[in-house]
Amino acid sequence: MHLTVIGTGYVGLVTGTCFAEMGNFVTCVDVDARKVERLKQGEIPIYEPGLEPLVLSNYKAGRLQFTTDLAEAMTTSNVYFIAVGTPPGEDGSADLQYVLGVAREIGRHLDRYAVVVDKSTVPVGTADKVRAAVREELERRRVSVPFDVVSNPEFLKEGAAVEDFMRPDRIVVGTDSAPARDLMYSLYADFSRNHDRILFMGVRDAEMTKYAANAMLATKISFMNEVAGLCDRFGVDVEQVRLGIGSDSRIGYSFIYPGCGYGGSCFPKDVKALIHMAEEAAIEPLLLGAVHRRNERQKQVLFEKITARLGNDLSGLTFGLWGLAFKPGTDDMREAPAVVLLHQLIGAGARVRAYDPEAMEVARNELPKAWFDSGALTLAQHQYDALEGSDVLVLVTEWKPFRHPDFGAVKRLLKTPLIFDGRNQYDPKKLKVDGFEYFGIGRKG
Ligand SMILES: NC(=O)c1ccc[n+]([C@@H]2O[C@H](COP(=O)([O-])OP(=O)(O)OC[C@H]3O[C@@H](n4cnc5c(N)ncnc54)[C@H](O)[C@@H]3O)[C@@H](O)[C@H]2O)c1
């Protein structure tokens, strides 16, 4: 099949590449000319494990192309995946300007039956808006061309995106059109070989499923963070509690890790968008509101622990910070707890030496230039270099190389043997024996 994927970010690039890997001919479109140029030069603009070789081999085989020209891409295909961003607006609602902009552009060039697929995460009712936007442009051109709009939300996880796309838990397709259903089935059958993973449902059901999934995961994290706060106060080790409840098959072990808050481009914005959807419908989002507030609060916890130990004025102190990405396996720093902590530490007069295995380039481009110019923030060459001359180690993202560090070296390099562990990676008892002072999240130090 010939497909067009519009928006070549984390979702679009992975989607396009994985479809190409299955033998389809895919054109990836993006308005960012620099990004398209880099891709044509064989440079992958994002870090995602396993993605680079797949992009390169499919590009070389001629199954994957990159362009800024949607009209041209549309001439060779009749399936258009919209995978552009839906960032939060001022009021928390999903900003649909990019999705609807693409829909209008499709309407300006559509000349035969096509399926328009909403892959971006969009509020319930967006497929109707996409349909209306395409139709409006067709009417303006005084032509009548049949088309269907399908909701096909994406559930991949950054850091495991290729694996998730290739071997999905489920593929959700919302449509009430038989031809669109057949087309989506044949496209996704390749990813659903050993048992049927394709769930067909109504368009609005599919739109809601994506938000409900992310809100559920965010709820589990916020719940556990709240329990961790109680554990802190009552001298309980939350890691024991985690094991104690995770072993209950009704609860399970996943997504109950306490930490310094969830970030990324999805959970925070999707919870906010669902809250906005509820409020628009005059439904009070009691639980979702609490999930969001707990997370905002949780991003303060590490800093509060730091100031409780070291005082409010941190001038003269240098913090070695491990982890900038919002989670391991990605270079994505959108809404990362590390960014909040950097603002807090630097705002309190501290200097920071930070290191992340993959997010250094993103950090250099996206963090305030003034921090680098003033020397408040230095990006270190490697994880131990971040500790050279630092007073304290703060772990923010649990990348594998941070999990089992050489504590002898850590102790030698730090001016004070003091560790704040935002992801409960280390054993407090062992660190105590090794002469460290340790602060985790909801743990007895
Ligand atoms: N990142 C994830 O892990 C993830 C997972 C599931 C779903 N989603 C959803 O998928 C959507 C995309 O997310 P992302 O993380 O890939 O975003 P992203 O910001 O990485 O990529 C979006 C891309 O769209 C491009 N774009 C914007 N307007 C365009 C237009 N008119 N024409 C062509 N390209 C255009 C941008 O230049 C950018 O490259 C969002 O709705 C997001 O919520 C993301």
Side-chain angles (χ1 to χ4, degrees), residues 219-252:
T219 302
K220 287 185 88 173
I221 297 171
S222 274
F223 169 81
M224 208 55 200
N225 281 335
E226 191 145 315
V227 170
L230 291 168
C231 291
D232 254 336
R233 184 59 61 90
F234 292 113
V236 174
D237 185 350
V238 72
E239 288 303 316
Q240 300 305 321
V241 177
R242 180 177 67 77
L243 296 172
I245 66 170
S247 51
D248 184 327
S249 60
R250 295 167 302 176
I251 297 173

mmCIF file of all heavy atoms in Angstrom, residues 219-252:
data_model
loop_
_atom_site.group_PDB
_atom_site.id
_atom_site.type_symbol
_atom_site.label_atom_id
_atom_site.label_comp_id
_atom_site.label_asym_id
_atom_site.label_seq_id
_atom_site.Cartn_x
_atom_site.Cartn_y
_atom_site.Cartn_z
ATOM 1 N N THR A 219 -2.993 8.009 36.820
ATOM 2 C CA THR A 219 -3.654 7.838 38.121
ATOM 3 C C THR A 219 -2.859 6.874 38.999
ATOM 4 O O THR A 219 -2.658 7.124 40.201
ATOM 5 C CB THR A 219 -5.096 7.321 37.924
ATOM 6 O OG1 THR A 219 -5.799 8.247 37.118
ATOM 7 C CG2 THR A 219 -5.817 7.146 39.256
ATOM 8 N N LYS A 220 -2.393 5.775 38.394
ATOM 9 C CA LYS A 220 -1.617 4.809 39.182
ATOM 10 C C LYS A 220 -0.359 5.473 39.747
ATOM 11 O O LYS A 220 -0.016 5.287 40.911
ATOM 12 C CB LYS A 220 -1.216 3.607 38.302
ATOM 13 C CG LYS A 220 -2.374 2.681 37.987
ATOM 14 C CD LYS A 220 -1.918 1.451 37.214
ATOM 15 C CE LYS A 220 -1.473 0.322 38.148
ATOM 16 N NZ LYS A 220 -1.189 -0.933 37.404
ATOM 17 N N ILE A 221 0.300 6.290 38.908
ATOM 18 C CA ILE A 221 1.535 6.938 39.366
ATOM 19 C C ILE A 221 1.207 7.940 40.478
ATOM 20 O O ILE A 221 1.864 7.969 41.528
ATOM 21 C CB ILE A 221 2.254 7.644 38.196
ATOM 22 C CG1 ILE A 221 2.684 6.628 37.145
ATOM 23 C CG2 ILE A 221 3.460 8.429 38.702
ATOM 24 C CD1 ILE A 221 3.211 7.250 35.856
ATOM 25 N N SER A 222 0.195 8.758 40.250
ATOM 26 C CA SER A 222 -0.123 9.773 41.264
ATOM 27 C C SER A 222 -0.581 9.121 42.566
ATOM 28 O O SER A 222 -0.272 9.595 43.653
ATOM 29 C CB SER A 222 -1.208 10.736 40.747
ATOM 30 O OG SER A 222 -0.602 11.778 40.009
ATOM 31 N N PHE A 223 -1.316 8.027 42.444
ATOM 32 C CA PHE A 223 -1.745 7.306 43.647
ATOM 33 C C PHE A 223 -0.529 6.888 44.460
ATOM 34 O O PHE A 223 -0.430 7.119 45.667
ATOM 35 C CB PHE A 223 -2.569 6.067 43.255
ATOM 36 C CG PHE A 223 -2.808 5.142 44.403
ATOM 37 C CD1 PHE A 223 -3.811 5.392 45.326
ATOM 38 C CD2 PHE A 223 -2.000 4.020 44.591
ATOM 39 C CE1 PHE A 223 -4.009 4.564 46.418
ATOM 40 C CE2 PHE A 223 -2.183 3.184 45.674
ATOM 41 C CZ PHE A 223 -3.190 3.457 46.587
ATOM 42 N N MET A 224 0.446 6.290 43.749
ATOM 43 C CA MET A 224 1.610 5.762 44.457
ATOM 44 C C MET A 224 2.447 6.900 45.036
ATOM 45 O O MET A 224 3.041 6.758 46.114
ATOM 46 C CB MET A 224 2.427 4.913 43.493
ATOM 47 C CG MET A 224 3.192 3.826 44.172
ATOM 48 S SD MET A 224 2.134 2.756 45.166
ATOM 49 C CE MET A 224 3.365 2.048 46.248
ATOM 50 N N ASN A 225 2.483 8.022 44.333
ATOM 51 C CA ASN A 225 3.221 9.170 44.865
ATOM 52 C C ASN A 225 2.560 9.697 46.137
ATOM 53 O O ASN A 225 3.237 10.136 47.066
ATOM 54 C CB ASN A 225 3.314 10.264 43.804
ATOM 55 C CG ASN A 225 4.404 9.958 42.788
ATOM 56 O OD1 ASN A 225 5.353 9.228 43.095
ATOM 57 N ND2 ASN A 225 4.281 10.493 41.587
ATOM 58 N N GLU A 226 1.242 9.641 46.166
ATOM 59 C CA GLU A 226 0.559 10.096 47.375
ATOM 60 C C GLU A 226 0.840 9.134 48.541
ATOM 61 O O GLU A 226 1.096 9.554 49.661
ATOM 62 C CB GLU A 226 -0.950 10.211 47.116
ATOM 63 C CG GLU A 226 -1.649 10.932 48.238
ATOM 64 C CD GLU A 226 -2.797 11.789 47.744
ATOM 65 O OE1 GLU A 226 -2.634 12.513 46.742
ATOM 66 O OE2 GLU A 226 -3.852 11.716 48.380
ATOM 67 N N VAL A 227 0.828 7.838 48.222
ATOM 68 C CA VAL A 227 1.160 6.845 49.260
ATOM 69 C C VAL A 227 2.594 7.085 49.751
ATOM 70 O O VAL A 227 2.876 7.000 50.955
ATOM 71 C CB VAL A 227 0.998 5.408 48.698
ATOM 72 C CG1 VAL A 227 1.569 4.374 49.672
ATOM 73 C CG2 VAL A 227 -0.474 5.112 48.434
ATOM 74 N N ALA A 228 3.497 7.414 48.826
ATOM 75 C CA ALA A 228 4.904 7.657 49.209
ATOM 76 C C ALA A 228 4.994 8.828 50.198
ATOM 77 O O ALA A 228 5.800 8.797 51.136
ATOM 78 C CB ALA A 228 5.751 7.939 47.973
ATOM 79 N N GLY A 229 4.168 9.852 49.975
ATOM 80 C CA GLY A 229 4.159 10.990 50.899
ATOM 81 C C GLY A 229 3.750 10.549 52.299
ATOM 82 O O GLY A 229 4.343 10.968 53.300
ATOM 83 N N LEU A 230 2.768 9.667 52.351
ATOM 84 C CA LEU A 230 2.338 9.139 53.654
ATOM 85 C C LEU A 230 3.454 8.303 54.275
ATOM 86 O O LEU A 230 3.724 8.391 55.478
ATOM 87 C CB LEU A 230 1.090 8.264 53.484
ATOM 88 C CG LEU A 230 -0.197 9.001 53.087
ATOM 89 C CD1 LEU A 230 -1.273 8.014 52.656
ATOM 90 C CD2 LEU A 230 -0.694 9.839 54.257
ATOM 91 N N CYS A 231 4.117 7.505 53.455
ATOM 92 C CA CYS A 231 5.205 6.650 53.958
ATOM 93 C C CYS A 231 6.323 7.509 54.555
ATOM 94 O O CYS A 231 6.862 7.199 55.625
ATOM 95 C CB CYS A 231 5.762 5.773 52.834
ATOM 96 S SG CYS A 231 4.595 4.525 52.302
ATOM 97 N N ASP A 232 6.651 8.597 53.845
ATOM 98 C CA ASP A 232 7.669 9.527 54.354
ATOM 99 C C ASP A 232 7.331 9.979 55.768
ATOM 100 O O ASP A 232 8.166 9.994 56.660
ATOM 101 C CB ASP A 232 7.696 10.782 53.448
ATOM 102 C CG ASP A 232 8.923 10.799 52.558
ATOM 103 O OD1 ASP A 232 9.925 10.169 52.928
ATOM 104 O OD2 ASP A 232 8.865 11.434 51.486
ATOM 105 N N ARG A 233 6.072 10.368 55.946
ATOM 106 C CA ARG A 233 5.637 10.921 57.226
ATOM 107 C C ARG A 233 5.589 9.882 58.340
ATOM 108 O O ARG A 233 5.877 10.159 59.489
ATOM 109 C CB ARG A 233 4.253 11.571 57.020
ATOM 110 C CG ARG A 233 3.706 12.279 58.240
ATOM 111 C CD ARG A 233 4.631 13.398 58.733
ATOM 112 N NE ARG A 233 4.814 14.427 57.733
ATOM 113 C CZ ARG A 233 4.040 15.501 57.613
ATOM 114 N NH1 ARG A 233 3.063 15.681 58.446
ATOM 115 N NH2 ARG A 233 4.283 16.393 56.676
ATOM 116 N N PHE A 234 5.227 8.622 57.951
ATOM 117 C CA PHE A 234 5.016 7.614 58.989
ATOM 118 C C PHE A 234 6.193 6.648 59.150
ATOM 119 O O PHE A 234 6.074 5.625 59.821
ATOM 120 C CB PHE A 234 3.729 6.825 58.707
ATOM 121 C CG PHE A 234 2.483 7.659 58.870
ATOM 122 C CD1 PHE A 234 1.686 7.969 57.782
ATOM 123 C CD2 PHE A 234 2.119 8.168 60.118
ATOM 124 C CE1 PHE A 234 0.556 8.747 57.924
ATOM 125 C CE2 PHE A 234 0.983 8.954 60.269
ATOM 126 C CZ PHE A 234 0.197 9.254 59.176
ATOM 127 N N GLY A 235 7.311 6.976 58.532
ATOM 128 C CA GLY A 235 8.490 6.119 58.702
ATOM 129 C C GLY A 235 8.316 4.750 58.079
ATOM 130 O O GLY A 235 8.757 3.733 58.622
ATOM 131 N N VAL A 236 7.643 4.703 56.941
ATOM 132 C CA VAL A 236 7.396 3.436 56.244
ATOM 133 C C VAL A 236 8.230 3.435 54.972
ATOM 134 O O VAL A 236 8.430 4.494 54.364
ATOM 135 C CB VAL A 236 5.890 3.339 55.876
ATOM 136 C CG1 VAL A 236 5.607 2.121 55.022
ATOM 137 C CG2 VAL A 236 5.029 3.347 57.137
ATOM 138 N N ASP A 237 8.710 2.266 54.547
ATOM 139 C CA ASP A 237 9.448 2.197 53.292
ATOM 140 C C ASP A 237 8.470 1.876 52.161
ATOM 141 O O ASP A 237 7.952 0.766 52.065
ATOM 142 C CB ASP A 237 10.533 1.115 53.373
ATOM 143 C CG ASP A 237 11.412 1.088 52.118
ATOM 144 O OD1 ASP A 237 11.059 1.768 51.132
ATOM 145 O OD2 ASP A 237 12.440 0.398 52.139
ATOM 146 N N VAL A 238 8.243 2.846 51.304
ATOM 147 C CA VAL A 238 7.245 2.678 50.238
ATOM 148 C C VAL A 238 7.623 1.554 49.290
ATOM 149 O O VAL A 238 6.753 0.941 48.659
ATOM 150 C CB VAL A 238 7.041 4.009 49.466
ATOM 151 C CG1 VAL A 238 8.239 4.324 48.580
ATOM 152 C CG2 VAL A 238 5.778 3.975 48.619
ATOM 153 N N GLU A 239 8.913 1.229 49.194
ATOM 154 C CA GLU A 239 9.316 0.154 48.279
ATOM 155 C C GLU A 239 8.795 -1.201 48.785
ATOM 156 O O GLU A 239 8.471 -2.077 47.990
ATOM 157 C CB GLU A 239 10.842 0.136 48.106
ATOM 158 C CG GLU A 239 11.355 1.309 47.273
ATOM 159 C CD GLU A 239 10.716 1.394 45.877
ATOM 160 O OE1 GLU A 239 10.593 0.363 45.204
ATOM 161 O OE2 GLU A 239 10.311 2.501 45.487
ATOM 162 N N GLN A 240 8.723 -1.354 50.104
ATOM 163 C CA GLN A 240 8.131 -2.585 50.647
ATOM 164 C C GLN A 240 6.636 -2.610 50.351
ATOM 165 O O GLN A 240 6.065 -3.650 50.003
ATOM 166 C CB GLN A 240 8.372 -2.672 52.166
ATOM 167 C CG GLN A 240 9.834 -2.682 52.562
ATOM 168 C CD GLN A 240 10.605 -3.798 51.863
ATOM 169 O OE1 GLN A 240 10.110 -4.904 51.689
ATOM 170 N NE2 GLN A 240 11.815 -3.494 51.437
ATOM 171 N N VAL A 241 6.014 -1.443 50.480
ATOM 172 C CA VAL A 241 4.568 -1.349 50.228
ATOM 173 C C VAL A 241 4.290 -1.651 48.742
ATOM 174 O O VAL A 241 3.336 -2.347 48.405
ATOM 175 C CB VAL A 241 4.042 0.055 50.614
ATOM 176 C CG1 VAL A 241 2.559 0.190 50.284
ATOM 177 C CG2 VAL A 241 4.304 0.331 52.092
ATOM 178 N N ARG A 242 5.155 -1.119 47.883
ATOM 179 C CA ARG A 242 4.989 -1.357 46.444
ATOM 180 C C ARG A 242 4.996 -2.858 46.138
ATOM 181 O O ARG A 242 4.136 -3.368 45.432
ATOM 182 C CB ARG A 242 6.120 -0.664 45.666
ATOM 183 C CG ARG A 242 6.046 -0.843 44.163
ATOM 184 C CD ARG A 242 7.133 -0.077 43.448
ATOM 185 N NE ARG A 242 8.476 -0.594 43.717
ATOM 186 C CZ ARG A 242 8.988 -1.693 43.169
ATOM 187 N NH1 ARG A 242 8.268 -2.408 42.323
ATOM 188 N NH2 ARG A 242 10.205 -2.096 43.477
ATOM 189 N N LEU A 243 5.984 -3.559 46.731
ATOM 190 C CA LEU A 243 6.048 -5.005 46.496
ATOM 191 C C LEU A 243 4.834 -5.701 47.107
ATOM 192 O O LEU A 243 4.270 -6.624 46.520
ATOM 193 C CB LEU A 243 7.340 -5.567 47.105
ATOM 194 C CG LEU A 243 8.630 -5.028 46.472
ATOM 195 C CD1 LEU A 243 9.851 -5.494 47.267
ATOM 196 C CD2 LEU A 243 8.740 -5.469 45.021
ATOM 197 N N GLY A 244 4.439 -5.211 48.272
ATOM 198 C CA GLY A 244 3.303 -5.818 48.974
ATOM 199 C C GLY A 244 2.003 -5.687 48.204
ATOM 200 O O GLY A 244 1.183 -6.608 48.177
ATOM 201 N N ILE A 245 1.811 -4.552 47.541
ATOM 202 C CA ILE A 245 0.536 -4.416 46.801
ATOM 203 C C ILE A 245 0.666 -4.916 45.356
ATOM 204 O O ILE A 245 -0.287 -5.432 44.796
ATOM 205 C CB ILE A 245 -0.023 -2.961 46.837
ATOM 206 C CG1 ILE A 245 0.868 -1.968 46.081
ATOM 207 C CG2 ILE A 245 -0.269 -2.509 48.273
ATOM 208 C CD1 ILE A 245 0.215 -0.595 45.900
ATOM 209 N N GLY A 246 1.861 -4.780 44.785
ATOM 210 C CA GLY A 246 2.046 -5.213 43.389
ATOM 211 C C GLY A 246 1.820 -6.701 43.220
ATOM 212 O O GLY A 246 1.391 -7.162 42.158
ATOM 213 N N SER A 247 2.103 -7.453 44.296
ATOM 214 C CA SER A 247 1.944 -8.911 44.220
ATOM 215 C C SER A 247 0.469 -9.321 44.161
ATOM 216 O O SER A 247 0.160 -10.478 43.864
ATOM 217 C CB SER A 247 2.619 -9.560 45.435
ATOM 218 O OG SER A 247 2.155 -8.919 46.612
ATOM 219 N N ASP A 248 -0.411 -8.396 44.423
ATOM 220 C CA ASP A 248 -1.851 -8.659 44.279
ATOM 221 C C ASP A 248 -2.172 -8.595 42.784
ATOM 222 O O ASP A 248 -2.009 -7.533 42.165
ATOM 223 C CB ASP A 248 -2.621 -7.576 45.052
ATOM 224 C CG ASP A 248 -4.122 -7.816 45.056
ATOM 225 O OD1 ASP A 248 -4.643 -8.358 44.049
ATOM 226 O OD2 ASP A 248 -4.775 -7.442 46.038
ATOM 227 N N SER A 249 -2.638 -9.710 42.222
ATOM 228 C CA SER A 249 -2.814 -9.742 40.761
ATOM 229 C C SER A 249 -3.852 -8.725 40.295
ATOM 230 O O SER A 249 -3.862 -8.337 39.138
ATOM 231 C CB SER A 249 -3.179 -11.151 40.286
ATOM 232 O OG SER A 249 -4.385 -11.532 40.906
ATOM 233 N N ARG A 250 -4.721 -8.290 41.204
ATOM 234 C CA ARG A 250 -5.698 -7.271 40.801
ATOM 235 C C ARG A 250 -5.032 -5.913 40.636
ATOM 236 O O ARG A 250 -5.541 -5.030 39.977
ATOM 237 C CB ARG A 250 -6.826 -7.153 41.841
ATOM 238 C CG ARG A 250 -7.672 -8.397 41.956
ATOM 239 C CD ARG A 250 -8.537 -8.324 43.188
ATOM 240 N NE ARG A 250 -7.727 -8.164 44.402
ATOM 241 C CZ ARG A 250 -8.217 -8.003 45.618
ATOM 242 N NH1 ARG A 250 -9.522 -7.957 45.798
ATOM 243 N NH2 ARG A 250 -7.419 -7.870 46.656
ATOM 244 N N ILE A 251 -3.874 -5.742 41.282
ATOM 245 C CA ILE A 251 -3.182 -4.445 41.229
ATOM 246 C C ILE A 251 -2.024 -4.500 40.241
ATOM 247 O O ILE A 251 -1.951 -3.700 39.317
ATOM 248 C CB ILE A 251 -2.696 -4.045 42.639
ATOM 249 C CG1 ILE A 251 -3.916 -3.866 43.583
ATOM 250 C CG2 ILE A 251 -1.867 -2.748 42.585
ATOM 251 C CD1 ILE A 251 -3.564 -3.633 45.039
ATOM 252 N N GLY A 252 -1.137 -5.467 40.418
ATOM 253 C CA GLY A 252 -0.005 -5.629 39.480
ATOM 254 C C GLY A 252 1.135 -4.685 39.805
ATOM 255 O O GLY A 252 0.968 -3.692 40.515
#
